Amino acid sequence: MITYFFVDRALRALSEIQMVSIFGHTINFHLVIESIVSSPKYHQVKEFIRSNIQQGVWAYGEKIPSQAELEKHCNVSRITVKRAIADLLAQSILEHLPGRKGLFVKNSCPYPKVQTRLIAVAIDDVRDTFGAEMLRGIEDFLWEKQFHTLLCNSDRDFKKVEHYFESLAQQHVAGVIFSPVIDEGYVDNNIKILRLLDRYRLPFVLIDRYIPEYLTHYVVTSHRESSKRLTMQLLRNGHRRILLAKGLACSSMNDRVAGYLDAHREFGLKADERLIVAVNDNLLWPHAEPDEIERVKMRILAAGAFTVFQALNCRILRAGIDVLLDLGVAVGEQVQLALHDDTSRLYPPYTDNMLHVVQPSYQMGWEAAKVLFEDIQQPKQKTVHVVLHSELRFPIVSQES
């Protein structure tokens, strides 16, 4: 076993090492060595603990290794460890928690974090137009403020995002802009990620979606209101059998479904629940899985007759068109299309001229970056909720018609 602190020859041998793993975490060993050589032993233990806290190895509120583990890894006596811990308790750096064993990094720990001008951004996939525009808005605002952007394509993968944030927190990013991951367990798994950010005391802003059970800053569009306007327009056009194809549950999807139901109620109609078709849109991008396409087909057939296929995002619309064409439906004639998303020449010619909602994705990115920047400069006492309005775009009617 290497005696990390108190054997002079070992310290000199290790001085060339940049990074080492201690208690399952990677730390910069130079930062420890520079500040502890030639110090009293209990000061050396204190500096070791301080360094780990400042580097984010042990986050605020996290339990530190036991006294026995510290003795073993620091190669000192129990009395030395106890004296170091007593000082850190007195300085409000560590604390005991009622009903829990061990020592914890105090949430009000006075050490300032190392500041950088890096902002981590995690969104679904920058390849789609919506994500690319949102990212551009974020980057343009941050560039003006001399901050820089680190991108994580979340791929709707909780573990991937969690690993990214864990790593970036230890690199002392200044803040995070995060579009909550859409998958099974939307609320619980995203709360776990947000608690990770809170543990590292990282300012963050949610974008495009929110977590109803978690009070925090977010910037979104008016999903419920825009979905209601879209459905109302279809009802005004005389449609009464509007199939709504929704994806996995999340705040934006749930709000859009609520808007569809609101429109029917305002028209004095009861929406047919059979016409609300649920699909796993994670299995439709970037390539649609055949089994999911077959499930979509079965659910569309079970819905009965309808005159509009209204999709709540581009992934679903693309799959829906494939299924309708496979079923021999004359898309655009027998069944009209409507979309709560920007078409961006999604599936020509079927999507070239249809009723759809366009979200202000660039503005949403800009506003999210602005909220985060202001929170970094001056932490807000109240949460900020920004709700932007989307645009309803109508089909172009030819002069001949």
Side-chain angles (χ1 to χ4, degrees):
M1 178 183 69
I2 297 173
T3 54
Y4 287 103
F5 305 106
F6 311 115
V7 180
D8 200 41
R9 289 176 63 189
L11 282 172
R12 289 194 175 91
L14 285 166
S15 65
E16 299 302 316
I17 298 175
Q18 297 294 319
M19 307 296 289
V20 295
S21 180
I22 299 178
F23 305 123
H25 296 278
T26 301
I27 66 169
N28 187 323
F29 202 77
H30 279 305
L31 295 179
V32 179
I33 290 175
E34 288 170 4
S35 59
I36 64 175
V37 173
S38 302
S39 300
K41 288 185 178 182
Y42 83 95
H43 277 304
Q44 295 170 7
V45 176
K46 283 170 58 178
E47 187 57 37
F48 172 66
I49 295 171
R50 283 195 187 105
S51 178
N52 276 278
I53 295 170
Q54 286 179 296
Q55 292 184 69
V57 176
W58 303 325
Y60 301 110
E62 186 175 339
K63 185 177 179 179
I64 72 167
S66 68
Q67 291 188 34
E69 288 176 303
L70 290 170
E71 290 170 38
K72 179 180 178 182
H73 283 276
C74 297
N75 195 29
V76 295
S77 68
R78 177 160 297 190
I79 292 173
T80 300
V81 171
K82 282 187 173 182
R83 184 175 179 185
I85 286 172
D87 280 6
L88 295 173
L89 286 168
Q91 294 167 10
S92 295
I93 294 166
L94 299 178
E95 65 178 343
H96 292 288
L97 295 179
R100 300 182 68 182
K101 293 182 179 181
L103 288 162
F104 297 81
V105 181
K106 195 165 185 176
N107 280 326
S108 57
C109 174
Y111 294 137
K113 292 195 306 179
V114 177
Q115 289 297 315
T116 69
R117 300 189 75 79
L118 298 174
I119 302 296
V121 179
I123 58 177
D124 289 357
D125 192 334
V126 75
R127 287 177 298 178
D128 68 59
T129 305
F130 177 75
E133 286 292 314
M134 196 160 57
L135 178 63
R136 185 73 207 203
I138 292 169
E139 186 180 30
D140 283 353
F141 180 90
L142 293 175
W143 181 253
E144 283 191 7
K145 303 299 180 182
Q146 298 182 336
F147 276 74
H148 306 291
T149 308
L150 297 172
L151 173 65
C152 164
N153 287 300
S154 75
D155 297 324
R156 298 193 174 186
D157 184 335
F158 292 114
K159 284 297 181 185
K160 181 179 181 182
V161 173
E162 194 174 343
H163 288 159
Y164 258 101
F165 287 167
E166 185 81 50
S167 173
L168 292 171
Q170 294 183 32
Q171 301 304 316
H172 309 298
V173 293
V176 169
I177 297 173
F178 172 42
S179 187
V181 175
I182 300 177
D183 206 347
E184 302 291 347
Y186 173 78
V187 171
D188 291 343
N189 286 311
N190 279 301
I191 285 178
K192 183 180 177 183
I193 292 171
L194 299 185
R195 283 177 177 160
L196 169 69
L197 298 177
D198 278 336
R199 196 164 72 242
Y200 281 103
R201 288 192 168 182
L202 276 174
F204 64 88
V205 176
L206 301 185
I207 188 168
D208 188 37
R209 306 171 199 125
Y210 58 91
I211 308 299
E213 291 81 354
Y214 210 92
L215 189 62
T216 190
H217 305 314
Y218 63 69
V219 178
V220 298
T221 59
S222 53
H223 296 289
R224 184 167 184 165
E225 181 264 344
S226 54
S227 178
K228 177 183 175 181
R229 284 193 291 129
L230 175 62
T231 308
M232 288 281 286
Q233 186 59 48
L234 293 169
L235 291 169
R236 289 192 195 101
N237 291 347
H239 297 286
R240 291 297 180 268
R241 299 282 297 174
I242 304 168
L243 185 144
L244 185 78
K246 65 175 185 175
L248 290 169
C250 64
S251 63
S252 55
M253 197 63 65
N254 295 345
D255 286 348
R256 293 173 190 181
V257 173
Y260 169 87
L261 297 173
D262 289 344
H264 281 79
R265 277 193 292 270
E266 191 158 319
F267 251 75
L269 301 172
K270 180 176 174 58
D272 186 343
E273 292 185 3
R274 293 176 302 171
L275 289 173
I276 301 177
V277 174
V279 304
N280 186 340
D281 47 332
N282 283 358
L283 302 180
L284 302 176
W285 175 266
H287 305 291
E289 294 190 9
D291 288 348
E292 186 59 23
I293 289 292
E294 191 61 29
R295 280 189 287 270
V296 173
K297 182 186 292 185
M298 292 300 102
R299 288 166 185 168
I300 286 176
L301 289 171
F306 56 91
T307 59
V308 177
F309 182 87
Q310 181 178 339
L312 293 188
N313 65 31
C314 287
R315 300 181 181 198
I316 300 169
L317 183 69
R318 187 182 291 105
I321 293 173
D322 285 338
V323 168
L324 292 173
L325 293 175
D326 189 56
L327 292 172
V329 175
V331 176
E333 298 175 13
Q334 291 175 286
V335 172
Q336 302 294 313
L337 298 177
L339 173 65
H340 197 292
D341 214 338
D342 187 7
T343 59
S344 300
R345 293 190 62 79
L346 175 70
Y347 205 142
Y350 307 106
T351 58
D352 287 345
N353 191 27
M354 69 174 180
L355 187 66
H356 65 283
V357 170
V358 178
Q359 299 177 84
S361 49
Y362 179 89
Q363 185 186 358
M364 186 159 43
W366 178 280
E367 292 292 337
K370 180 183 177 184
V371 171
L372 180 62
F373 173 76
E374 291 173 351
D375 197 35
I376 291 170
Q377 300 299 110
Q378 184 66 49
K380 303 179 188 304
Q381 299 301 313
K382 296 182 179 179
T383 54
V384 176
H385 295 167
V386 178
V387 181
L388 305 173
H389 291 284
S390 299
E391 178 187 353
L392 184 61
R393 290 194 182 169
F394 295 85
I396 299 171
V397 180
S398 67
Q399 294 296 322
E400 294 180 2
S401 61

